[in-house]
Amino acid sequence: MDAPFLYNDFSTFLKRHFPFKVQKISLNAGFTCPNRDGTKGYGGCTYCNNQTFNPEYCRTDKSIVQQLEEGKLFFARKYPQMKYLAYFQAYTNTYGGLEALRRKYEEALAVDDVVGLVIGTRPDCMSDELLDYLAEQKERTFVLIEYGIESTSDKTLRRINRGHTWAETVDAVRRTSERGILCGGHVILGLPGETRADMVRQAEDISSLPLTTLKLHQLQLIRGTRMAREYEEKPEDFHLFDVDEYMEVVIDYVERLRPDIVLERFLSQSPKDLLVAPDWNLKNYEFNHRLWKRMRELDAYQGKKYDKCGK
Ligand code: SF4
């Protein structure tokens, strides 16, 4: 008997796009962040680690090609036939002039066995000019833009000094999707000032966007961040989930989510030496197994309550 449908998972999504196994390789392409240098804001998002944000860190010694070749070596030992997506992950990977950006993306695409780009960025850092270029690229290769949405509440976005609004997210996702470019989002559950009901309601706003993929992450407090200091000074302002509680929120969220959105992951895993709290000591796949079990127990599945949201 087939396993019951629980949610749209990312590996099935990749199988729909590629007839071979595909792995993302994370890159630090030497980008910086406009929410720190004053272009969009100062100080950065309050949860972002200040210590790792310095020009030295961003100025990686390794070229994009070198990073990809090293990543390929790592995975090819196990799966020699594997192909790869160049994942421009660190900082704001659309922050720069078009020519400089093109050079970086095309450097990655020229590497053997690289079959596409995944580009992480902020919603307020995506020009029409760049989208037009990416729309041309997607005729030749796989392209997915991943926007850091984080919250759909402007009050929360101000509180975490995100430096952009929900309206800017809506605009960026719309402009991306209008060009037929695959569009992903990333949100954090557990941000200060948001109740459990707010978080679950967020699924309705997210469902209204033409998103293809979504990552949910629990809030993690990282050493050296403004948010970690705020927590130290006023812990009562925060509600840090334990695993079971977070899982219940995720299930409520997923049930209210549009049924076709692909859920890429549910957990963030910051390095232990940087993590203040919560320390769940749980790998992504371990969380997924527990989630599947709990969803089956509850007869929960993605979109089960979506119609009731009135969308
Ligand atoms: S989270 Fe991203 S956008 Fe925010 S300060 Fe850090 S690098 Fe910049």
Side-chain angles (χ1 to χ4, degrees):
M1 203 174 80
D2 286 348
F5 169 77
L6 300 175
Y7 59 85
N8 287 302
D9 66 276
F10 194 65
S11 56
T12 307
F13 165 76
L14 287 178
K15 278 183 204 147
R16 277 207 306 272
H17 281 270
F18 302 102
F20 35 70
K21 259 190 176 307
V22 176
Q23 176 68 47
K24 289 203 291 190
I25 296 178
S26 292
L27 297 173
N28 179 348
F31 285 100
T32 59
C33 168
N35 196 25
R36 289 186 177 275
D37 66 10
T39 304
K40 297 290 177 184
Y42 290 103
C45 311
T46 60
Y47 56 84
C48 180
N49 187 335
N50 289 304
Q51 287 167 337
T52 57
F53 191 87
N54 62 57
E56 279 312 311
Y57 181 84
C58 297
R59 207 184 304 126
T60 169
D61 291 340
K62 293 180 185 171
S63 68
I64 290 170
V65 171
Q66 201 178 347
Q67 292 176 59
L68 284 167
E69 292 295 355
E70 284 178 11
K72 281 168 57 180
L73 265 183
F74 179 80
F75 292 111
R77 270 185 228 127
K78 220 167 159 191
Y79 300 105
Q81 308 307 323
M82 184 82 91
K83 307 274 186 210
Y84 303 93
L85 297 173
Y87 181 22
F88 287 81
Q89 182 180 25
Y91 301 100
T92 306
N93 294 278
T94 56
Y95 186 35
L98 183 61
E99 275 317 305
L101 295 172
R102 281 177 73 133
R103 271 199 302 277
K104 288 184 197 254
Y105 304 149
E106 287 173 25
E107 181 181 341
L109 286 171
V111 172
D112 279 350
D113 295 330
V114 170
V115 291
L117 300 172
V118 180
I119 301 172
T121 190
R122 297 166 51 86
D124 60 352
C125 202
M126 183 55 93
S127 67
D128 281 337
E129 192 188 29
L130 179 58
L131 281 174
D132 289 341
Y133 160 76
L134 292 169
E136 281 169 27
Q137 280 299 327
K138 72 130 174 83
E139 297 302 320
R140 291 184 277 277
T141 190
F142 178 91
V143 177
L144 171 70
I145 308 300
E146 188 181 282
Y147 288 111
I149 298 171
E150 316 315 353
S151 171
T152 60
S153 152
D154 282 337
K155 191 168 158 226
T156 306
L157 292 169
R158 274 194 301 278
R159 177 161 182 173
I160 62 174
N161 197 39
R162 189 60 200 159
H164 66 76
T165 59
W166 164 239
E168 284 174 290
T169 295
V170 174
D171 176 61
V173 173
R174 183 187 51 76
R175 286 185 295 117
T176 307
S177 156
E178 270 173 7
R179 289 167 170 82
I181 303 170
L182 296 176
C183 198
H186 171 283
V187 295
I188 302 174
L189 299 180
L191 288 168
E194 295 195 348
T195 64
R196 179 174 170 156
D198 293 334
M199 291 169 217
V200 172
R201 222 173 6 246
Q202 185 192 92
E204 297 174 29
D205 293 331
I206 291 293
S207 296
S208 73
L209 295 177
L211 285 177
T212 303
T213 63
L214 182 68
K215 287 178 178 169
L216 306 179
H217 282 182
Q218 84 280 24
L219 177 67
Q220 292 195 306
L221 299 176
I222 305 300
R223 262 180 236 299
T225 62
R226 204 162 105 197
M227 197 178 274
R229 277 198 306 283
E230 287 170 1
Y231 175 66
E232 211 172 289
E233 285 158 16
K234 248 180 142 191
E236 65 274 18
D237 273 8
F238 290 80
H239 178 79
L240 297 178
F241 292 124
D242 64 31
V243 184
D244 291 330
E245 196 185 359
Y246 176 67
M247 193 171 297
E248 297 303 317
V249 175
V250 166
I251 293 172
D252 277 355
Y253 194 111
V254 168
E255 285 197 312
R256 282 161 180 81
L257 203 60
R258 210 177 66 229
D260 62 281
I261 293 178
V262 175
L263 286 153
E264 183 170 349
R265 59 183 296 146
F266 303 99
L267 219 60
S268 64
Q269 288 172 266
S270 300
K272 240 185 169 4
D273 56 328
L274 288 180
L275 184 62
V276 175
D279 185 2
W280 295 347
N281 201 17
L282 202 64
K283 299 233 177 342
N284 198 46
Y285 75 89
E286 293 170 324
F287 181 86
N288 288 351
H289 284 298
R290 285 170 66 167
L291 180 68
W292 297 337
K293 185 166 175 281
R294 187 68 184 136
M295 287 182 83
R296 283 193 201 106
E297 280 166 9
L298 296 170
D299 186 29
Y301 55 87
Q302 183 180 350
K304 183 177 180 181
K305 297 180 182 161
Y306 171 66
D307 283 340
K308 292 179 192 154
C309 299
K311 297 281 171 192

